[in-house]
Amino acid sequence: MNTDRSIHESMRSHPRVRPDLRFRFQKNGGDPVYLIEDGLYRQFLHIGVPEFHFLRQLDGVTTVAAAVAASARRFGSRAIGENEAIDLLHWAGERHLLQSPETEHDAESGGTAERGTFRIMQVLFWRMPLGNPDRFMAILNR
């Protein structure tokens, strides 16, 4: 009974995805996915198309229930259900993708001193892609 109550409360909540996250559409092995780039926590995550559209609904105004309903209208049988929505919220929360007072402060101030050190290191250790190793390996395998 307690679980039903927490699910009901979660469905009425108004979470917000952090506005500083960058989403990019990609094809991964022919499957469409979205790459989430999180500069604040220096992480890259892949999510499916229904998950992307669900997360993009979370603007701090829209309830989780409304986002689930929008997913059902858009994706039909591939839509995010209530249980999947709760799991996705937990997943996003564990990865700091949702707005909270701490992440809001870190985003505004540019992060903690430790993250400032990472930014300095980015300049000192500039990364430049040199090519696609898959093409080179394909030539070797011939």
Side-chain angles (χ1 to χ4, degrees):
M1 199 65 138
N2 203 8
T3 304
D4 292 338
R5 184 174 162 199
S6 65
I7 290 173
H8 183 67
E9 289 174 5
S10 296
M11 295 303 287
R12 293 188 339 195
S13 67
H14 299 76
R16 181 177 184 206
V17 172
R18 288 189 10 238
D20 61 307
L21 297 175
R22 292 174 49 188
F23 294 87
R24 293 181 188 223
F25 179 77
Q26 293 183 341
K27 291 239 179 193
N28 186 12
D31 296 328
V33 296
Y34 278 87
L35 174 70
I36 303 173
E37 295 181 33
D38 182 357
L40 188 61
Y41 288 94
R42 303 188 52 77
Q43 60 184 345
F44 295 88
L45 306 161
H46 283 106
I47 58 173
V49 175
E51 291 81 3
F52 164 76
H53 286 284
F54 174 79
L55 287 176
R56 295 303 286 175
Q57 295 283 323
L58 304 180
D59 57 4
V61 177
T62 305
T63 64
V64 173
V68 168
S71 177
R73 284 191 302 274
R74 182 173 185 141
F75 294 103
S77 64
R78 295 183 328 154
I80 302 293
E82 286 184 2
N83 291 333
E84 291 171 310
I86 301 302
D87 290 343
L88 191 54
L89 285 176
H90 286 283
W91 177 85
E94 289 172 353
R95 284 153 184 83
H96 310 285
L97 303 178
L98 300 177
Q99 188 84 44
S100 68
E102 297 85 28
T103 57
E104 188 173 352
H105 174 70
D106 284 349
E108 288 174 0
S109 67
T112 62
E114 182 177 312
R115 289 193 194 101
T117 303
F118 283 128
R119 289 202 175 116
I120 291 170
M121 289 177 68
Q122 278 183 319
V123 174
L124 295 176
F125 300 100
W126 181 51
R127 292 180 290 178
M128 182 177 80
L130 298 175
N132 185 350
D134 293 336
R135 291 181 189 159
F136 178 70
M137 295 306 286
I139 291 170
L140 290 177
N141 285 331
R142 289 184 188 174

